Amino acid sequence: MRNLLPFLTRIPVEGDFEKAREELWAFPLVALVSSALPTLVLYLGLPLSNVLALLALYFTIGLLHLDGLADWADGVMVKGDRERKIKAMKDLNTGIAGIFAVVMVLLLQVYSLSLVPFYALFLSELNSKLGMLLALATKKPLGQGLGAYFMEGMTGKRLLGGLIFYALLLVPLIAYDPNVLASLLGLLAGGYAIRISLKNFGGINGDCIGAIAEITRAGTLVVMAFAWQLI
């Protein structure tokens, strides 16, 4: 897992670029690190804890995934064929679709965090990392960037390992609170984002993976917010 941290967080540790894709099975484990500080903020019940927790999350993971979401949304929303959509996604300028997507994801997360238990952020990060892993498992790279590099390292064993660690981290929380099962529905948001990526671009690159991570996390928090309000 140590070699993945420089790619998925801002934690100042050194990682081996060549070994990172050999640790794809550890994606779910990264959620333990990325959610630690924001979960602590929620647990302590500090004033404006939902806002502070989200700030703590992005302090830990950085804004790269949000940037990918903005580019992805610009590409999805532009009219035209795949070539035009890919060109819009790679454009350095952020359009109104990208801004709207980022604002909505942030608003959904910050509001949902005010309605869910403190461990919900860990669950949403766990789903987010699994969503990224499933995106890599499509083995349909778009271009020759970092996404393609990690896809080359994806194997059935590494995917299975990731699924096993995901289950091992999830099961204790389900035993503690059976309502946690609702968080599994958040993966549908990530699956839909994967489908939209393949439909619009014909493949998945780093921007798509970042968007999938953000959409999966936000979708999980929204689902859990609804579940906890209805329980």
Side-chain angles (χ1 to χ4, degrees):
M1 181 178 75
R2 180 175 176 273
N3 294 299
L4 281 177
L5 289 178
F7 296 98
L8 299 179
T9 72
R10 296 178 62 251
I11 296 174
V13 296
E14 294 185 3
D16 189 318
F17 185 75
E18 294 297 329
K19 292 181 180 180
R21 65 179 180 178
E22 298 175 8
E23 298 180 351
L24 298 178
W25 50 269
F27 262 61
L29 293 177
V30 175
L32 289 169
V33 178
S34 62
S35 66
L37 182 58
T39 297
L40 177 62
V41 172
L42 290 171
Y43 177 75
L44 293 175
L46 301 174
L48 294 177
S49 60
N50 56 331
V51 177
L52 294 176
L54 198 62
L55 290 174
L57 174 67
Y58 287 112
F59 175 79
T60 304
I61 67 175
L63 301 178
L64 187 61
H65 296 336
L66 274 180
D67 182 63
L69 172 65
D71 293 338
W72 178 86
D74 283 338
V76 168
M77 293 304 294
V78 74
K79 294 182 179 180
D81 55 21
R82 283 181 176 174
E83 288 72 20
R84 187 174 181 184
K85 287 177 175 291
I86 293 172
K87 182 179 179 180
M89 181 168 61
K90 293 182 177 181
D91 193 326
L92 296 178
N93 297 311
T94 301
I96 187 63
I99 295 173
F100 179 80
V102 169
V103 170
M104 286 304 300
V105 161
L106 291 175
L107 288 177
L108 287 172
Q109 289 183 102
V110 77
Y111 183 68
S112 296
L113 285 170
S114 68
L115 303 173
V116 294
F118 72 92
Y119 45 85
L121 190 46
F122 165 70
L123 290 167
S124 66
E125 263 295 276
L126 185 62
N127 276 0
S128 177
K129 297 301 181 282
L130 182 61
M132 296 173 73
L133 190 64
L134 294 176
L136 294 174
T138 64
K139 302 285 283 187
K140 293 185 178 181
L142 179 62
Q144 298 298 318
L146 196 59
Y149 175 79
F150 279 109
M151 281 186 190
E152 290 173 1
M154 176 59 73
T155 64
K157 289 184 178 180
R158 288 169 184 164
L159 175 61
L160 178 60
L163 292 171
I164 290 173
F165 278 112
Y166 174 85
L168 289 175
L169 292 170
L170 184 64
V171 167
L173 280 174
I174 294 176
Y176 172 74
D177 183 355
N179 296 322
V180 165
L181 280 169
S183 68
L184 293 173
L185 294 175
L187 291 171
L188 295 177
Y192 184 69
I194 292 173
R195 181 176 179 273
I196 292 295
S197 298
L198 295 174
K199 179 181 179 181
N200 283 270
F201 309 119
I204 291 176
N205 64 2
D207 287 334
C208 297
I209 294 172
I212 291 162
E214 291 293 324
I215 292 171
T216 304
R217 186 191 316 108
T220 300
L221 288 173
V222 169
V223 167
M224 294 186 69
F226 271 104
W228 257 260
Q229 291 305 300
L230 293 175
I231 292 170

